[in-house]
Amino acid sequence: MCTCLEFTNKHHYFGRTLDLEYHYNEEAVITPRNYEFKSKGNTFNTKYALIGTAMVVEDYPFYYEAANECGLAMAGLNFPNNAKYNDPIEGKLNLAAFELVPYILGNYKDIRSLRADLANLNITNLTYNEKLPVATLHFMISDENSSIVLEQTKTGLKIYENPYGVMTNNPEFFLQVENLNKYITLTNEYKEPQGLNYTCGGLGGVGLPGDYSSMSRFVRVEFLRRFRTKSSDELASVSSFFHILGAVSMVSGSVLTAKGLPDKTYYTSCINTSLGIYYYRTYDNFTISSLALNDDNMNQNYLTRIPLDMSLRINKLN
């Protein structure tokens, strides 16, 4: 269970929460230009450098979300029971789910240049190795001008325009959008209580869902994104991004999986895609950390890997 968000103030920002009952020692990872991605399915080199969060296996970064040096960003979120992958099909652009993020971000500079090739995409059921099962995902892809959602189900590949700048998990994206119609009367405007002798702010948002289900998180984040205070200041924009996703962050124990394990938000990320700056904070570490693309790390011949800081630190004032 995760939530993806993008918006543009002066710059474009893209990121997500990772909500799971476990994690795989995720790292902040920079992939340089001309890096070779090699698997059983495809071998390709990146034109553009990438920055984001990944699990690295045998020098292969499995990106959860990332942006490239041109400002194109992408994330994969859990899409169980709906994601349907195929065997390779001759004549198609055959890519496994784990190959999609590095292939797309490594080879395309924006959504406009990507669209024609997406129509020929076939997401395959290939695994990297026997220890890593196929991840059932759908994908959000954004640049400063537009955002799309990519879903491959039993009815085929679907590409949705996403002016809402939000993606969660199930159900399919078109059903998430239909569900928004139930909340068209929500507003951030002040309303006087009717027939009651008290003053209370926030009544324009009465009915905004507060649970952690995918549809409720979609509605809540879309509401907060739409009514956010916009600022050209970098720190204010980053703060706004983390506050919005904080409204759907999971406290350990508040949601249990089918196996009775507690979900929690292991990390929250925000990438300034315009400047190539990756920000993150973790469940126990409220300090926002950052890593940036630069000439050195974009042109080296190895991955830059920095483990996410999970430690709790308290600023003692006496």
Side-chain angles (χ1 to χ4, degrees), residues 242-263:
F242 279 97
H243 276 295
I244 291 172
L245 288 183
V248 292
S249 294
M250 296 183 182
V251 177
S252 181
S254 60
V255 176
L256 298 181
T257 68
K259 295 181 180 180
L261 299 174
D263 260 343

Side-chain angles (χ1 to χ4, degrees), residues 97-259:
F98 67 85
E99 296 173 320
L100 272 178
V101 174
Y103 183 87
I104 288 175
L105 298 186
N107 289 283
Y108 298 89
K109 63 181 182 179
D110 53 29
I111 289 176
R112 184 175 62 177
S113 64
L114 171 65
R115 284 185 187 273
D117 288 344
L118 277 184
N120 194 43
L121 174 66
N122 173 48
I123 305 177
T124 70
N125 48 26
L126 180 75
T127 59
Y128 181 79
N129 62 35
E130 64 278 359
K131 296 180 180 179
L132 295 173
V134 175
T136 53
L137 305 173
H138 60 170
F139 301 88
M140 180 163 148
I141 310 171
S142 303
D143 60 27
E144 64 179 358
N145 297 310
S146 58
S147 182
I148 59 176
V149 168
L150 187 67
E151 295 179 345
Q152 187 169 293
T153 68
K154 63 182 179 180
T155 59
L157 184 72
K158 305 290 176 57
I159 303 169
Y160 299 100
E161 300 300 322
N162 182 12
Y164 313 99
V166 182
M167 188 177 79
T168 56
N169 310 105
N170 285 323
E172 294 174 62
F173 186 75
F174 79 93
L175 293 173
Q176 298 275 24
V177 174
E178 286 182 5
N179 185 58
L180 278 178
N181 290 324
K182 299 177 183 178
Y183 303 95
I184 58 175
T185 60
L186 295 182
T187 179
N188 63 341
E189 296 176 0
Y190 179 82
K191 289 188 175 183
E192 288 284 354
Q194 300 298 312
L196 299 173
N197 188 25
Y198 67 80
T199 299
C200 176
L203 292 177
V206 169
L208 184 69
D211 62 87
Y212 289 113
S213 66
S214 298
M215 295 185 88
S216 293
R217 283 184 284 113
F218 190 102
V219 173
R220 195 151 74 253
V221 170
E222 191 279 333
F223 174 88
L224 295 172
R225 177 188 184 273
R226 179 159 33 111
F227 293 120
R228 74 188 189 278
T229 299
K230 298 181 181 180
S231 173
S232 61
D233 180 77
E234 175 71 0
L235 294 183
S237 297
V238 171
S239 175
S240 176
F241 199 97
F242 279 97
H243 276 295
I244 291 172
L245 288 183
V248 292
S249 294
M250 296 183 182
V251 177
S252 181
S254 60
V255 176
L256 298 181
T257 68
K259 295 181 180 180

